[in-house]
Amino acid sequence: MTRSTLFVLIIAVFSTSILNAQFTDVINSNRPGKSMAAFSVGKTVIQAEMGFYGSIEKHDLLGYEAKGVGSDLNLRYGAFLEQLEFNLDLQYQNDTYKTDFESYRRKAFKQTTFGAKYLIYDPNKNYEEKVNVYSWKANHKFSYRNLIPSVGVYAGLNINLSKNEFSFPTDPKISPKAMLITQNQFGKFVFVTNIIADKITTDYPSYGYILTLTRGFTPRWTGFLETQAYMSDFYADNVARGGAAYLIQENIQIDANLAVNFKNTPSLFVAGIGISWRFDDNYNEVMLRTPKPKSEKDKKGKGKKGKDKDKSKKRVDEVPTSKGK
């Protein structure tokens, strides 16, 4: 068993509140981890997730060291459908690359990706948990329904319009990225999986995964741990991350995080801070009509023709307030 595998087995990862809805009462941010949750921000909602980091990279075999700073920005927008989200992911890095023979600065947009995410399956949609008024134990026992994940898909384009010193020389101006996203809720824990195929049509396609288990400590303080693997002929690695987030108010969250890998070709250490902000003034709650139970007269075919209509409305996302990742 590798150290990275052991790390995944012993972590209990944490994040803000847990939910099974597109829109929540508090901000639903993908930060400070790198995984993407299955649910969108909600129709007409605009969300910005920004961070700054410092990194140290050392390669024992090639004898180089790279130290620098960077920033990342993820812009998210829910449009057309409650389940659909468009996002722009940017990462810029500026560092100093040193060997025994030379030293120079590198600066470029390390990543520019535009894409869309769509929730294709939610096991809790149109499902209502039955409450046993006679048994506390029955209401709190493990439910096998929790093993059924929510499923989302992502498709995007990597855009490389300028020289990217952090990528391979033949990296084209445009290349595709695809992702399968699953999300499970286990009581107070949420487990998110991203299966990723990146730069598929290039000379160096990359395949990998991100596993994130999250939990909230208090309504405001949360933490997280995750592992990410890259598999490519150009670069392969396994990175572990951990950190915490604090909810300043319903639409603003700040965070801090650390990342390390488990090899020295190269070794990697990254520390960062970030903030997430949501603008939802234009959001309108999505409503469903719930059928009114038939009366005894209706069951016998004696009352009014047709079904009675219930004028009450229920939110599609009427679940306990919590965070999706």
Side-chain angles (χ1 to χ4, degrees):
M1 180 180 293
T2 65
R3 286 185 294 173
S4 58
T5 305
L6 180 61
F7 183 86
V8 177
L9 293 177
I10 64 175
I11 64 176
V13 190
F14 322 91
S15 190
T16 321
S17 329
I18 302 165
L19 78 137
N20 292 303
Q22 302 299 104
F23 181 83
T24 55
D25 292 333
V26 298
I27 188 172
N28 174 11
S29 177
N30 288 322
R31 290 191 60 87
K34 292 294 185 181
S35 64
M36 186 181 291
F39 296 92
S40 77
V41 290
K43 188 178 177 182
T44 73
V45 174
I46 301 171
Q47 188 160 306
E49 303 171 7
M50 186 176 187
F52 300 91
Y53 63 87
S55 65
I56 301 174
E57 185 178 323
K58 294 182 180 180
H59 201 297
D60 288 355
L61 289 180
L62 299 181
Y64 76 78
E65 179 181 85
K67 294 182 179 180
V69 295
S71 63
D72 47 66
L73 173 65
N74 191 351
L75 295 174
R76 305 170 62 186
Y77 178 64
F80 305 118
L81 301 170
E82 189 74 5
Q83 303 94 328
L84 181 62
E85 171 186 308
F86 294 93
N87 54 66
L88 176 64
D89 193 7
L90 303 172
Q91 183 182 9
Y92 181 84
Q93 186 165 315
N94 186 333
D95 66 21
T96 300
Y97 183 93
K98 289 183 179 180
T99 68
D100 294 335
F101 310 102
E102 62 179 344
S103 175
Y104 60 91
R105 296 194 69 82
R106 301 184 300 180
K107 51 185 179 179
F109 278 98
K110 196 171 183 180
Q111 177 176 308
T112 303
T113 307
F114 177 76
K117 177 180 67 175
Y118 184 76
L119 179 72
I120 60 175
Y121 177 69
D122 178 5
N124 294 308
K125 184 177 181 180
N126 301 324
Y127 172 78
E128 186 175 348
E129 190 75 36
K130 293 182 179 179
V131 178
N132 189 329
V133 296
Y134 302 104
S135 173
W136 182 93
K137 184 177 180 181
N139 292 326
H140 291 81
K141 69 179 181 180
F142 177 78
S143 173
Y144 286 99
R145 280 188 58 83
N146 294 337
L147 298 176
I148 305 173
S150 300
V151 181
V153 289
Y154 170 88
L157 294 174
N158 298 297
I159 302 171
N160 182 27
L161 299 180
S162 60
K163 183 180 179 182
N164 186 352
E165 299 179 83
F166 301 99
S167 188
F168 49 91
T170 59
D171 191 3
K173 293 188 181 299
I174 297 178
S175 60
K177 180 177 182 178
M179 190 186 312
L180 175 66
I181 306 165
T182 66
Q183 180 171 326
N184 294 84
Q185 181 174 324
F186 303 107
K188 295 182 179 180
F189 293 87
V190 170
F191 183 65
V192 173
T193 300
N194 291 178
I195 307 299
I196 307 165
D198 198 8
K199 302 190 176 183
I200 307 164
T201 60
T202 69
D203 293 338
Y204 297 98
S206 176
Y207 303 95
Y209 62 83
I210 308 176
L211 306 177
T212 309
L213 181 66
T214 65
R215 186 187 187 279
F217 295 111
T218 71
R220 292 189 179 273
W221 279 105
T222 60
F224 90 102
L225 291 169
E226 75 181 15
T227 184
Q228 179 174 9
Y230 309 87
M231 290 163 278
S232 169
D233 290 338
F234 177 71
Y235 181 75
D237 207 344
N238 196 306
V239 180
R241 299 184 185 91
Y246 179 75
L247 188 69
I248 296 178
Q249 56 189 52
E250 288 187 350
N251 67 329
I252 300 176
Q253 170 192 292
I254 57 174
D255 62 75
N257 62 90
L258 297 174
V260 295
N261 67 350
F262 301 92
K263 65 177 187 176
N264 55 12
T265 55
S267 63
L268 183 67
F269 176 80
V270 181
I273 57 174
I275 185 169
S276 301
W277 170 84
R278 180 178 75 180
F279 176 80
D280 54 18
D281 287 357
N282 296 326
Y283 182 79
N284 293 317
E285 293 178 355
V286 178
M287 301 292 186
L288 280 181
R289 290 192 183 276
T290 53
K292 188 177 182 180
K294 293 181 179 180
S295 64
E296 290 300 318
K297 274 189 173 183
D298 293 333
K299 289 180 182 178
K300 295 176 182 178
K302 293 182 180 177
K304 297 178 181 179
K305 292 183 180 179
K307 296 180 180 179
D308 289 341
K309 291 184 179 179
D310 185 4
K311 294 182 180 179
S312 64
K313 293 182 178 180
K314 182 180 180 181
R315 285 177 56 176
V316 169
D317 58 351
E318 191 173 351
V319 292
T321 300
S322 51
K323 182 175 181 285
K325 173 199 158 258

